Structure formats: C-alpha cells, structure tokens
Amino acid sequence: MRTRFASDIISHLQNGRHESVSNDTHPNNPTIKDKQRMNAIADVQSSRDLRNLPINQVGIKDLRFPITLNTAEGSQSTVAHLTMTVFLPADQKGTHMSRFVALMEQQTEALDFDRLHKLTAEMVALLNSHSGKISVSFPFFRKKSAPVSGIQSLLDYDVTLTGEIKNGAYSHNLKVMVPVTSLCPCSKEISQYGAHNQRSHVTVSLTANAEVGIEEIIDCVEAQASCQLYGLLKRPDEKYVTEKAYENPKFVEDMVRDVATALIADGRIESFIVESENFESIHNHSAYAYIAYP
C-alpha cells in the first residue's frame, strides 16, 4: 500500500508538474531562493551620502566590558567603559557599528599601552578609516598599608587610557583621578585649635614620549597632598593621618602648583592638565584650581 506522500509525488509527475522534492523545503533548511534573498539584504550604511559633510568621530559610547590590565605592580581584572570611534568620510552614509563590539569580543590579551596601540590600529583598519580613537575608563585598585598598624586594604582610583590615530600618527593619553586629603592653611592660622580639612580629587591628564605608569602618577599626587587616603585605618593610623594633614596644610592652589612642578621635572611628560576639586567641609560648594602645561 502506497503512503499518501508517495501518491502525491506520482500524481504530480503524471500531471506534468516536475517539482523536485528535497529537504530544502523544510522550514529549518532555507531554499536557494531564500538564501539569495538573505544575501541581498541592503547594506545601507555603505551607501553614498550627498550632504558633503565628514564626521570627525562616530562609533559606540559607554560599552561596558571586562578587561585585564598589565601594570608595573602586576595584572588585575576590572570592568571598563569604552568609547570607540573612527573618522567617517563625507561620501559614506554610516559606519559599521557592530564591528566595534566584534573587535572587543576577540580581544583576549591583557591591556597595556602597547596593546592599546595595536587595538587602535586594528579598529581603524577594520573600519576602513585613517583615523580613530579608543578611550578605556575603569576603576584601578591598589593595595595600601596603613601608616602605623600596617593593616592592608584596597583603594580605588579612576583611570582613563586613550589611544588615537590621526592621519596615520599615533598618540596616547593617561588620565588618573587621585583622592587625597587637604587641610586649609588659613583655617589653621586663624584658629586657636584645629583646622578644617576635606577630601580632594586631584586629576592629572598627560601625554608623554615614553610610558608613564599609573602607579607613578598616583605616587606623585599623593606625595603633594596634605595626606593620602587609606581604605582601612585603626585608631593609631587615624591619629597619624590627622596630625600629618595638620602639619602639611595645602590650599587648592598649592595642590595644583606642587603637582605641576613635579610633572614638569619629568622629562617623559610633554604636556599635562592638573586640576583639583576640594569638597569643602565648611561650605556647600567646592574649591577648584586648574593648570594646563605648556
């Protein structure tokens, strides 16, 4: 006895309808025509644009991605926020946004200045551009020992590494925000006892002709503060940092000038910006100072 499927095939042949029967008709196995239609999907971003306006930077912003860092003190894992952009010619309608993410998905090496250079070059080549920029912002952790008890704890710093290729030339920028303590010299001078102090954020952004480590910038800033910060302190440590700050008062102006003086003395550093925001303990506003060099 024939099955209904076999009868149908014979009926088709007898009626002159020579339609081939194969697995290509299965819903999960597209026919040749289906594949052709899929391949014919329009690549809109590659079409021509007639407004004659190039775009300096286009890409993705605030991509959150896990990375491993290579620094002078070893490797550490963290989570970064990335902005990745390229130059877009006037005649091209759009860039290929998915390629930025695909590039990071293939990124398996630990990030340092050399790897950032290579990654920026890979991005520019992948997007068929002559210029591009990658900014990687992340919390950087450092283990510190309390000044008296020696108890260890982690302290976090905000760091941004930026690599940029512009017309074939590469440059990179390092930006580090270092939290410290500042104590007001005026308050100390006019008060019979005590002086107001506050937490300050000192931010250094620099370009250099040789590698400058993240830890080096942190050390530089903390050495100029009234006192550095620690994640964990015992009572003897708290006494120490309070008295150290009292003996080393700094205006916000002193902070940026002292840090700038130390940076100028470093022959590797070609230009920098140093700024300090003091979150005042006796006002509802901050004190702020900024120096750009040269």
Side-chain angles (χ1 to χ4, degrees):
M1 185 176 76
R2 299 190 193 100
T3 64
R4 181 179 178 184
F5 182 70
S7 300
D8 289 344
I9 294 175
I10 293 173
S11 175
H12 285 316
L13 292 173
Q14 289 173 343
N15 293 331
R17 299 173 62 187
H18 302 287
E19 296 177 4
S20 63
V21 179
S22 72
N23 289 333
D24 284 345
T25 59
H26 192 279
N28 294 327
N29 192 352
T31 65
I32 293 175
K33 288 183 178 180
D34 289 333
K35 292 178 180 178
Q36 288 174 341
R37 282 194 295 267
M38 290 169 62
N39 291 335
I41 293 175
D43 185 7
V44 179
Q45 65 263 32
S46 294
S47 61
R48 289 183 62 82
D49 195 277
L50 304 178
R51 285 165 284 192
N52 195 33
L53 286 171
I55 298 178
N56 298 90
Q57 295 184 42
V58 60
I60 61 174
K61 183 179 180 180
D62 207 25
L63 171 67
R64 188 164 60 176
F65 208 85
I67 63 170
T68 300
L69 293 169
N70 267 348
T71 72
E73 294 181 353
S75 297
Q76 65 174 266
S77 296
T78 186
V79 176
H81 288 252
L82 292 99
T83 296
M84 308 172 72
T85 59
V86 293
F87 174 86
L88 190 71
D91 61 351
Q92 187 174 332
K93 188 171 186 61
T95 191
H96 296 271
M97 295 290 182
S98 62
R99 294 184 184 180
F100 296 101
V101 181
L103 179 63
M104 290 307 301
E105 289 290 343
Q106 297 169 4
Q107 160 66 19
T108 57
E109 299 179 38
L111 188 67
D112 55 19
F113 288 101
D114 288 338
R115 182 59 193 143
L116 180 61
H117 185 177
K118 294 175 183 175
L119 191 64
T120 307
E122 290 169 7
M123 178 190 70
V124 169
L126 186 64
L127 275 297
N128 300 315
S129 185
H130 58 66
S131 299
K133 179 189 291 188
I134 299 179
S135 291
V136 190
S137 299
F138 51 88
F140 178 79
F141 292 88
R142 203 176 191 193
K143 185 168 287 188
K144 303 182 69 174
S145 298
V148 178
S149 69
I151 189 170
Q152 291 192 325
S153 60
L154 292 173
L155 191 67
D156 61 299
Y157 306 84
D158 291 337
V159 176
T160 299
L161 303 179
T162 301
E164 182 174 15
I165 293 176
K166 182 175 283 189
N167 299 319
Y170 178 77
S171 63
H172 70 253
N173 178 274
L174 169 63
K175 182 178 181 180
V176 186
M177 190 282 287
V178 184
V180 295
T181 294
S182 61
L183 185 135
C184 178
C186 182
S187 176
K188 176 181 177 179
E189 183 67 25
I190 65 176
S191 301
Q192 292 184 10
Y193 46 88
H196 79 82
N197 57 21
Q198 50 273 319
R199 188 160 46 91
S200 304
H201 285 177
V202 180
T203 303
V204 173
S205 179
L206 62 86
T207 57
N209 53 36
E211 183 171 337
V212 177
I214 297 171
E215 296 91 344
E216 292 182 87
I217 300 303
I218 293 172
D219 289 342
C220 173
V221 172
E222 290 182 338
Q224 307 306 325
S226 294
C227 188
Q228 57 182 288
L229 301 186
Y230 301 87
L232 182 61
L233 296 172
K234 296 296 187 179
R235 282 193 296 270
D237 302 309
E238 188 171 354
K239 178 179 184 297
Y240 174 89
V241 299
T242 300
E243 293 174 347
K244 179 174 175 60
Y246 187 79
E247 295 301 328
N248 190 29
K250 293 284 181 83
F251 286 126
V252 69
E253 296 93 335
D254 296 319
M255 194 83 75
V256 294
R257 283 173 171 152
D258 289 344
V259 172
T261 299
L263 296 175
I264 291 170
D266 190 327
R268 298 170 298 172
I269 298 174
E270 296 180 340
S271 63
F272 64 80
I273 292 172
V274 57
E275 52 191 322
S276 180
E277 181 178 5
N278 293 1
F279 302 96
E280 295 291 290
S281 60
I282 62 171
H283 304 295
N284 196 27
H285 59 261
S286 297
Y288 177 78
Y290 170 107
I291 291 178
Y293 176 89

